[in-house]
Amino acid sequence: MEPRISLITLGVADIARSQAFYEQLGWGGGSPDGEVVFIQAGPMIVALWSRERLAGDSAVTDNGGWGGITLAHNVRSPDEVDAVLAEAAAA
């Protein structure tokens, strides 16, 4: 498995406020739909998304103890997904 992260998604309470914060740091990004912001950060992407939606998508209950972050390792095909998962299971 190639050691890399493709996408970091941060669950945030206020997307517009979070986007403004990152823009002040020089991390400009865009939103295709007003619900998620994508910021190119070198070879990976940082996404800002509703913490509530991220928790639902991650199938977790967010009662304050969940970190509100997900990491993604994207691959090119379903076969590569199977290979990566097999490597992880073997580890």
Side-chain angles (χ1 to χ4, degrees):
M1 174 187 327
E2 181 183 347
R4 67 176 163 76
I5 294 181
S6 306
L7 175 73
I8 298 173
T9 303
L10 304 175
V12 299
D14 184 324
I15 291 176
R17 184 173 172 207
S18 297
Q19 182 177 10
F21 170 78
Y22 283 98
E23 286 175 350
Q24 287 292 314
L25 296 176
W27 290 41
S31 177
D33 59 7
E35 292 186 10
V36 63
V37 174
F38 295 107
I39 302 166
Q40 191 70 47
M44 72 175 156
I45 294 172
V46 174
L48 308 173
W49 197 25
S50 157
R51 184 176 174 98
E52 181 179 320
R53 287 181 182 214
L54 184 59
D57 189 63
S58 301
V60 299
T61 300
D62 183 9
N63 53 10
W66 178 63
I69 183 171
T70 61
L71 306 175
H73 176 94
N74 292 351
V75 294
R76 292 176 195 86
S77 71
D79 288 340
E80 287 182 75
V81 171
D82 293 340
V84 167
L85 291 176
E87 269 188 75

